Amino acid sequence: MEALTLIDLNQISKTVSGKYHNLPLNMVNDHIIRISIMTLPYYWHYHPNSDENFLCLEGQLIIELQDQLIELSPGQLYTIPANVLHRTRPKGERSVNLSFELESMQTIKKEPES
């Protein structure tokens, strides 16, 4: 991961297959950019030290919060503030998304309270 390097998101998304991939692409200051290729849900979790931004590139991404469901289509961006419990999943067979967060982001797995 270094500056002045061309990164072809379309090529990456075409060559990756499987259930779930979250690949680091590059750094911007103290933040990391990742591409996520999802065919299954990710577990419930939160990040105590970082906001998390999702940009949908392909398919549709569902972001589940405890009391809300957000659906992102290609070209739509959504920010989840630090400490907000959430999980993500594709709507349909697959979604391709970019995420932007602190490189040192912590992830805490936790089920929502009933």
Side-chain angles (χ1 to χ4, degrees), residues 7 44-45 57 64 70 76 101:
I7 299 170
W44 285 98
H45 64 283
L57 300 176
E64 292 183 66
I70 293 96
Q76 293 182 320
E101 64 253 352

Side-chain angles (χ1 to χ4, degrees), residues 2 11 19 31 34 44 49 77 80 83 96 99:
E2 58 185 75
Q11 184 63 31
K19 297 179 182 177
H31 283 67
R34 300 177 189 272
W44 285 98
N49 66 330
L77 176 79
I80 299 172
N83 290 309
V96 178
S99 63

Side-chain angles (χ1 to χ4, degrees), residues 63-82:
I63 301 171
E64 292 183 66
L65 306 176
Q66 286 186 284
D67 61 350
Q68 190 177 5
L69 197 71
I70 293 96
E71 293 186 21
L72 297 184
S73 295
Q76 293 182 320
L77 176 79
Y78 191 81
T79 301
I80 299 172

Side-chain angles (χ1 to χ4, degrees), residues 4-79:
L4 302 176
T5 300
L6 178 68
I7 299 170
D8 188 333
L9 301 176
N10 291 321
Q11 184 63 31
I12 293 169
S13 76
K14 288 177 188 174
T15 58
V16 174
S17 62
K19 297 179 182 177
Y20 179 82
H21 292 279
N22 194 4
L23 309 169
L25 296 174
N26 216 332
M27 296 287 300
V28 177
N29 300 317
D30 59 349
H31 283 67
I32 190 162
I33 303 168
R34 300 177 189 272
I35 188 168
S36 170
I37 295 127
M38 302 181 76
T39 60
L40 294 173
Y42 197 66
Y43 56 79
W44 285 98
H45 64 283
Y46 67 95
H47 310 289
N49 66 330
S50 180
D51 296 342
E52 186 174 26
N53 294 280
F54 289 96
L55 174 62
C56 183
L57 300 176
E58 176 188 317
Q60 288 185 300
L61 177 66
I62 303 291
I63 301 171
E64 292 183 66
L65 306 176
Q66 286 186 284
D67 61 350
Q68 190 177 5
L69 197 71
I70 293 96
E71 293 186 21
L72 297 184
S73 295
Q76 293 182 320
L77 176 79
Y78 191 81
T79 301

